[in-house]
Amino acid sequence: MSKPGKRLLIVDDDADMRLSLKLALEMAGYSVEPAADGREALAIQRQRPADVLITDIFMPESDGFEVIDAVRRGFPQTRIVVISGGAKLAKREYLLDAALMDVDAILPKPFDMEALLRTLESIQRR
Amino acid sequence: MKLRWHLVLLTLATLLPLAIFAVVEGALLVVSERETFRRGAEARTLAVLTAIDTELNRSITTARVLVASPGLGEAELHYFRRTAALVLAAQPDWINITVARPDGQQIMNLRVPEGDYLPNIGAVDESFERLLRTGEPVISDLYLAPVLKQLNFVVRTPLVQDGKVRYVLSAAVNSAAIGRLIRAQGLPPGWVGVVLDRNDHIVARNVNPEESLGQLASQSLRDALARSPSGWFHGSTIEGSVVYTPYRRSETTGWVFAMGIPAYVVEEVGKRAQWTLALGLLAALGLALALAMIVGRRISGPIGSLASATKAMGQGESITLPVEIRVSEVDTLAGALREAAQAIHERQSLIEREREALRAADRAKDEFLAMLSHELRTPLAALTTAAHVLRVAGNDGDKAMQARGVIERQTKHMARLVEDLLDVSRVTMGKANLQREAFDLGEVVENLVAGWRAARRFDRHRVTHSTATVWIDADRTRLEQIVSNLLDNALKFTPPGRKIDIRVRQENGQAILRVTDEGDGLAAAAIGRIFDLFAQGEHGLDRSKGGMGIGLALVKWLTEMHGGTVSVASEGPGRGAAFTVRLPAVVHPHRQADPGATEKTLGPRRVLIIEDSDDTRQMLHAALALSGHEVREARNGATGLAVAAEVAPDIALIDIGLPDIDGYEVARRLRADPTNGHIALIALSGYGQPADLQRAYDAGFDSHLTKPVAVEVLHSAIAAVL
């Protein structure tokens, strides 16, 4: 079912968010690895590098910025999509943040699933 | 106008009447002094004139005595001549003694030897005729003695026999005698004393006697004498000096004494007093003005600095006040100003503190809003994603079931969130009312724990509890909220697998509820703030556990509304925490006499759901079926009543807003049939105000649930009504 170039790593501390995203994205034909925090995500990434990292920003243990930073440096081929419910992110105030300067896409929560799918399509094509 | 000029005006106004008085008084004084001086001079004039009269009268008396002596007759004239010669020798100023017959023929002349020719003097002398006319002694005018070339006057005395003048005795007197008399008066230098005869010729004068004797008196004196026999006038001497002159003519002799007082002497009189007065006035004026200026400066100086201090105060600068103020009112003003400055300073720092508190509250509000946004976005994201899954996958299958699970959990979570927000609003606005009743706190906790356990919320932790029966007078719903929030907090901050313990006991008349966990614990600094609204845990950017900082604040407010306290203890981060709620315990009002009550368990029951909303009905159905209940449905009131009559349910969940008849009416109709008395009626409504609850109870409902209904609340309500 999973196709090459469609391995996704989802990092979100909310179990329902991980679950619903996994369900939706698997239905769209992606292979999804969920992780509850940054540490777990990096452990998975090191074993099986994902094509796209979809990560929340505010999480316990190791936050989204650390994950983004580590993935950017260690896995330049991995695309990054940020999803977050932070008010500042929603107002796009973090767009100038160095850590978010070179992510591939930012989607403020709540986002339309179709928008996420379109985003994934477009960044894969690049 | 400046203060000092006010004082100067005051001084001048005070001194002006005094000055006028002084000027008038000075003028009066001069007049009075001159009057006194004039009277003195006139008295002196009279005295000198009297002395002259006396001198003349002495000569007359001597002449009379001589006339009265025997021997004055032609026959014995030789003898009389000897007597007269003796008298002449005894009178140093007498020059000669003569005797004449009334026809003027001299019959004796001591300066002419006896027997020599003697002249007839009758025609030459006015005084002789006067004597003959009056028969009284007379004094002649001054004349130059023809023989002796000496100025003299003559005293003539008659010898009267048988009423007729028989002889006239004449004594020539040297006018120098009068001159001596005048000099003896010791007139001040510059003063002129002058004696005039009846014809106003100068008989004696202390100034320039050689040139003036025998001359006519000055024109001004003669004019004055023509006007009045005595008086005072301003004129000039024969030398032309300007003088004031008192004068008097003797009534007896017709002679005159006058004094020439230099004008400057008279004019000086009173001048000194005037000067003294004027100088005194000037000194007083100067002193008063100087004092006015000094006092003015003493008052206006400090007032000026107070004014600038006040201005500085207005501009918010620190003020400096004059150290020494000698005017007590101004000093009082300065004191008041100092106090005002102090008060302003204190108020400003108070305002500053309040502003800081407002800023802090504002920051907390902003953080809260950011957090609220995050808290709402997270479940919304999960919901939209799950909705997408349902849309794509359809309603069946494993994926759809999982997605529905997501939706149920997240809606419940959001409903809870909204409820908390509304609670905060109600409690902070003071709108939360307590519906107090006596109940067993232990039982409430027991039921709640059972409900949560049934809802599998304790699955990831080791939750233990032990409760004693403790009666309190409180709002049951609020107490459940307190316990729920404490449990929520413990679950949120305690890692899976760790222990959470809930205890209820009674101690010293207090109901003690304690929730102990083995969770993250608290730093000492956080303990003071943990109950503040919007307080967040120490998690930095990680807000996954922070929540909105509402739960514990609500616990504190609700506990305090019940007259209780809440406290937290923690040995530090990572070492767990213990929250303790203390409420006043009450005596059990009446023992529950129904032993069967405790045996009621939440076994399978027959439940009727009357609800027009498909979602709600299905959710309730699923939740109740999951707990093993037998569930029947109805979409409106009429159907509901029919189903109830058919199946005789134990419990009916009735929506208030039904399409045909409302829930209240359904309840009333069910209650109207006695065979339905056993059915427990639970109202479902979007409104949870006390009035709504009351209306439900009035209609016959046993309980009331506000939508959306959480599963554990549903279980609790069912357990409560059975």
Side-chain angles (χ1 to χ4, degrees), chain B residues 61-76:
Chain B
T61 305
T62 306
R64 275 186 158 163
V65 169
L66 192 56
V67 165
S69 66
L72 182 59
E74 283 179 82
E76 296 109 21

Side-chain angles (χ1 to χ4, degrees), chain B residues 600-673:
Chain B
K600 279 181 181 170
T601 51
L602 203 56
R605 298 286 177 164
R606 192 173 298 151
V607 183
L608 168 61
I609 303 169
I610 309 176
E611 165 66 79
D612 61 324
S613 157
D614 292 343
D615 286 347
T616 306
R617 198 177 60 248
Q618 285 161 15
M619 187 278 282
L620 289 171
H621 191 142
L624 290 167
L626 204 66
S627 301
H629 298 296
E630 179 189 340
V631 184
R632 301 296 295 269
E633 290 184 8
R635 290 166 192 250
N636 57 53
T639 315
L641 286 168
V643 175
E646 183 195 328
V647 303
D650 299 307
I651 300 156
L653 293 170
I654 305 169
D655 180 31
I656 294 299
L658 292 170
D660 51 348
I661 49 176
D662 69 19
Y664 300 126
E665 185 57 29
V666 173
R668 273 192 289 270
R669 290 191 193 177
L670 283 173
R671 285 284 182 244
D673 184 348

